[in-house]
Amino acid sequence: MKRVVILASGSGSNAENIFSYFKGSDTVEVVAVLTNKKTAKVLDRCEKLGIPAYFFNREAFSGPSGFVEIMKSFRPDLIVLAGFLWKISSSLINAFPNKIINIHPALLPKYGGKGMYGSKVHEAVKENSEAETGITIHYVNENYDEGAIIFQAKTAINTSDTADDIAQKVHQLEYEHFPKVIEKLLT
Ligand code: GRF
């Protein structure tokens, strides 16, 4: 059984979708969701679904106690960032080479980098009157949103679409593709 650990700090709708996709699978299992936000909605979802969820603070993440060791204790085959904003350390990247992936709600390299997350991305896309947007699933390296791209999918934007409409379209793409890409990487 391949083991997936999800890092999420927001609503967690992707975490839920990934968990549901693999529920009952005999090849891939979501073994834990880790979050740096005690109030994150993802924790409510985990409780409801029975997913083991753990909170960690900045010290556990960045301090000398070693987040690498914490992560190793879960024996992940893949670490999935789904709405996680803290920068991933070189030590974690080196401990799990090609095993950490992120999803970004735009077509990288456009609309990426520090500060480009959540609704800010969709507002910028709208502001620039883009004709299309999409999702990017990529390996995580030391720079925000710059690791090698694994998969992209696009969706068209109508001139009447609001930033919220764009967000919804992007979320649909995320739900459709993210679990399948994870499955492909692991099986
Ligand atoms: C997603 O749009 C993802 O692309 C981005 O953060 C958002 C997380 O949404 N990295 P949710 O918490 O899974 O609902």
Side-chain angles (χ1 to χ4, degrees), residues 154-168:
K154 294 177 180 176
T155 183
I157 299 173
N158 303 320
T159 45
S160 59
D161 283 345
T162 63
D164 277 352
D165 296 330
I166 296 171
Q168 273 197 28

Side-chain angles (χ1 to χ4, degrees), residues 8-15 42 45 81-85 102-106 117-118 122 135 170-171 174-175:
S9 317
S11 154
S13 67
N14 276 284
V42 67
R45 292 184 195 264
L81 274 51
F84 183 73
L85 299 182
N102 179 47
I103 188 163
H104 187 78
Y117 60 88
H122 309 303
I135 58 168
V170 168
H171 258 124
E174 293 183 335
Y175 302 150

